[in-house]
Amino acid sequence: MKRRPDGLGPIIVLDRRLAKPMHRQLYDGYREAILDGRLRPGQRLPSTRTLAEDLQISRIPVVTAFDQLVAEGYVESRVGAGSFVSRALRDHARFGGEPKPSTGVVRRAGLRRVPGDKRPAMATPWLDGSGPFRVSQPALEQFPTEVWARLVARRARSLPRRQMTYGDAMGFAPLREALAEYLGTVRSVKCTAEQIMIVSGSQQALALCGRTLLAPGDAMWLEEPGYPGARDALTLAGARPFPVPVDDDGLDVATGIARCPTARAAYVTPSHQYPLGMIMSAARRLKLLDWARRRGAWIVEDDYDSEYRYDAQPIASLYGLDTDRRVLYTGTFSKVLFPALRVGYLVIPVDLVARFRQIRDAMDIFPAPLYQAVLHDFLRGGHFARHLRRMRSIYAKRRQVLVTAIEREFGDDVRVAGDRAGIHLVVLLPPDARDHDIAVRAARRGISVIPLSSCYAGPRGRPGLVLGYGPTRATEIPDAVRRLKSVLRG
Ligand SMILES: Cc1ncc(COP(=O)(O)O)c(C=O)c1O
């Protein structure tokens, strides 16, 4: 006979010294687990044979206990399928809610301190929806899922043993080889595969940089306005963020030197400043590198979306100008492929690799290899280059339709900035506009725009709206802009 699949049972402690018979202890244990929600209606139970084996008792008390549970309607037995917690219990309110927390009763709670920031987390309703203009979201409907699925299936079918055991903290070597080639050619990031660490998105790269390069409390320049995710990751890693304003040339290095000369590091997005979108000028890049050299400081370059540029050749990386091994360069596949992939990379100066490897090993040991191997095949098979070329023209069209629609609907009331690269732009609003309220109202109408003021660490942020055009089809954009206009008017 075909064996029925088994479910898992709750922890039941049987005590052979008790006068209460075994089947009764078992019955009580299961009944209690059903009543307190540890076992949910419809949940599969272990077979009587497995349970008897697990508990190291004979099968008879187990069968007796289960018969009783079935007779009383707690458990149902389906021929050929096994035993389940009775689905009829779903209709009873007491079984409908969440499982109750452990019954290990807390009588008097002592101090339960969590060190850190006491500010309540800011509500961000604009990140909840997936409506038009959701920032940081690529055009998922354009992703070549069939090719990807084929590559995943191939790798999953022939999973070698060495990929099932512990691996290298730096990541899957063939992917790092492919990336070293790609970065050297396309981003002027000349590096070897040994310098590349595969990370779980650039967010992890930032956290690692904070932990490795800074002592707790060390000051770090962050762009103002800037990427809140970087602020969070670096602060969590112990950095003391110091906001330095950006202007049309990018980070204002002179102001950073004047106001916080002792900073040990700087975080920048020179290819496409987040969120304002300017490109850091060559003079500023050299000034930043010069400051870092003189101060013995580090620079973390976040190159998160510069694969997409619309009016000129891609700008070379800051890393490519560095002659003193001061720049750590991070990039991600979140925008070019999809964010749930959670694959990014960090290029580490060669003499720091051992230290980064050690710290990564202590954090999460190493990145899971399956998707890295698939990504390697995607790059080497030419699918990535093809996808990128296709997406460049799709995003260029979306961007152009968006800019035209904004100009048509808003005229001179607003100014568009940062649309020369990436997959988002900024609509700068008049100084008295309340961008936060507008973004909350827009979110209620299904439009996801980020208030520019939320990207400022300081209190007086310039009002504006950050609009992503990655996920919004060109045909939907004009109507979405009209709806946004009516939100603004409201
Ligand atoms: C400027 C910037 N850096 C880093 C990230 C994080 O990307 P990842 O998904 O690779 O962690 C984002 C995501 O939106 C971003 O906008």
Side-chain angles (χ1 to χ4, degrees):
M1 197 180 81
K2 208 172 138 204
R3 249 193 104 179
R4 298 163 179 169
D6 261 1
L8 295 170
I11 296 171
I12 309 276
V13 182
L14 298 179
D15 190 342
R16 290 165 207 275
R17 290 163 307 180
L18 292 182
K20 198 191 297 188
M22 217 54 101
H23 68 84
R24 189 70 209 182
Q25 291 187 42
L26 204 52
Y27 162 86
D28 285 348
Y30 266 79
R31 186 174 166 276
E32 208 176 290
I34 293 170
L35 291 177
D36 72 15
R38 275 175 292 149
L39 286 172
R40 316 272 294 154
Q43 190 172 332
R44 180 188 293 280
L45 298 176
S47 68
T48 50
R49 183 196 309 271
T50 308
L51 195 52
E53 277 166 19
D54 288 352
L55 296 172
Q56 296 180 6
I57 57 176
S58 100
R59 218 174 139 203
I60 296 165
V62 182
V63 172
T64 312
F66 270 44
D67 283 350
Q68 185 68 21
L69 290 162
V70 171
E72 292 180 14
Y74 290 107
V75 168
E76 61 194 11
S77 216
R78 280 179 243 146
V79 181
S83 300
F84 299 82
V85 178
S86 175
R87 280 177 303 182
L89 296 175
R90 265 197 200 121
D91 303 335
H92 296 272
R94 66 183 300 187
F95 300 103
E98 289 301 306
K100 284 196 225 122
S102 147
T103 49
V105 180
V106 179
R107 284 201 193 80
R108 238 188 60 208
L111 279 181
R112 300 178 69 247
R113 279 201 205 99
V114 179
D117 198 344
K118 297 286 183 294
R119 285 173 309 174
M122 188 176 66
T124 52
W126 45 85
L127 296 182
D128 296 343
S130 55
F133 309 137
R134 175 78 163 78
V135 178
S136 301
Q137 194 79 263
L140 299 176
E141 82 285 357
Q142 299 292 336
F143 186 71
T145 38
E146 274 180 27
V147 174
W148 185 258
R150 213 176 52 237
L151 299 178
V152 172
R154 201 167 67 199
R155 281 288 183 175
R157 262 199 307 272
S158 58
L159 199 61
R161 292 266 160 78
R162 65 175 184 286
Q163 276 181 35
M164 295 171 79
T165 182
Y166 287 95
D168 185 350
M170 298 294 283
F172 185 60
L175 173 62
R176 291 158 55 213
E177 291 285 351
L179 271 173
E181 246 173 57
Y182 167 70
L183 293 175
T185 310
V186 178
R187 305 293 308 124
S188 73
V189 173
K190 288 212 174 54
C191 62
T192 61
E194 285 67 40
Q195 289 175 259
I196 297 182
M197 176 185 276
I198 305 297
V199 285
S200 166
S202 35
Q203 195 69 10
Q204 189 182 36
L206 300 178
L208 262 162
C209 286
R211 285 202 186 187
T212 313
L213 304 174
L214 301 177
D218 276 353
M220 179 165 189
W221 293 352
L222 297 192
E223 295 168 328
E224 174 83 331
Y227 176 51
R231 195 162 65 221
D232 292 346
L234 292 160
T235 309
L236 198 65
R240 182 165 52 86
F242 190 90
V244 175
V246 295
D247 60 20
D248 288 347
D249 288 326
L251 187 87
D252 184 348
V253 178
T255 301
I257 295 172
R259 294 200 199 146
C260 182
T262 56
R264 299 299 312 273
Y267 163 82
V268 281
T269 49
S271 301
H272 186 225
Q273 200 273 336
Y274 187 94
L276 291 175
M278 75 287 281
I279 291 151
M280 195 182 213
S281 67
R284 279 288 166 80
R285 287 169 191 243
L286 294 173
K287 196 161 180 163
L288 182 62
L289 287 166
D290 181 55
W291 164 78
R293 193 165 22 234
R294 281 188 291 106
R295 284 293 318 163
W298 303 106
I299 299 171
V300 179
E301 175 177 15
D302 182 358
D303 196 5
Y304 61 104
D305 72 356
S306 64
E307 289 84 358
Y308 301 121
R309 282 197 55 76
Y310 306 109
D311 58 356
Q313 286 300 307
I315 303 283
S317 61
L318 183 62
Y319 180 100
L321 293 174
D322 177 24
T323 51
D324 203 33
R325 294 192 295 194
R326 305 231 151 246
V327 178
L328 291 98
Y329 174 92
T330 178
T332 179
F333 286 97
S334 289
K335 321 274 160 150
V336 274
L337 298 181
F338 57 98
L341 186 58
R342 303 314 301 143
V343 175
Y345 39 90
L346 175 64
V347 182
I348 302 167
V350 76
D351 51 334
L352 297 185
V353 167
R355 181 68 183 137
F356 268 85
R357 174 182 261 131
Q358 193 183 29
I359 289 187
R360 176 70 188 273
D361 192 49
M363 282 170 76
D364 66 341
I365 309 187
F366 73 107
L370 179 60
Y371 275 156
Q372 294 184 71
V374 175
L375 186 50
H376 161 267
D377 299 346
F378 196 75
L379 285 162
R380 288 285 190 216
H383 307 293
F384 181 73
R386 200 170 311 125
H387 180 60
L388 207 55
R389 265 195 297 277
R390 262 193 76 232
M391 296 317 295
R392 275 194 188 122
S393 74
I394 290 174
Y395 290 140
K397 171 91 174 118
R398 291 182 182 189
R399 159 192 175 259
Q400 178 233 319
V401 172
L402 178 58
V403 172
T404 309
I406 293 170
E407 282 168 0
R408 189 176 50 240
E409 297 297 333
F410 295 98
D412 292 338
D413 295 347
V414 303
R415 191 161 75 75
V416 171
D419 62 323
R420 288 161 61 199
I423 50 174
H424 75 262
L425 54 74
V426 180
V427 176
L428 296 168
L429 298 173
D432 57 344
R434 300 168 71 96
D435 61 354
H436 183 273
D437 297 351
I438 294 167
V440 170
R441 287 204 306 273
R444 278 193 212 122
R445 306 254 322 250
I447 299 176
S448 310
V449 291
I450 294 184
L452 178 59
S453 61
S454 72
C455 300
Y456 284 79
R460 275 198 303 278
R462 188 172 174 183
L465 300 173
V466 189
L467 273 62
Y469 45 89
T472 314
R473 289 173 206 268
T475 49
E476 295 167 10
I477 288 175
D479 179 56
V481 172
R482 272 193 294 277
R483 278 161 54 209
L484 184 60
K485 182 179 171 185
S486 79
V487 172
L488 256 95
R489 292 269 154 85

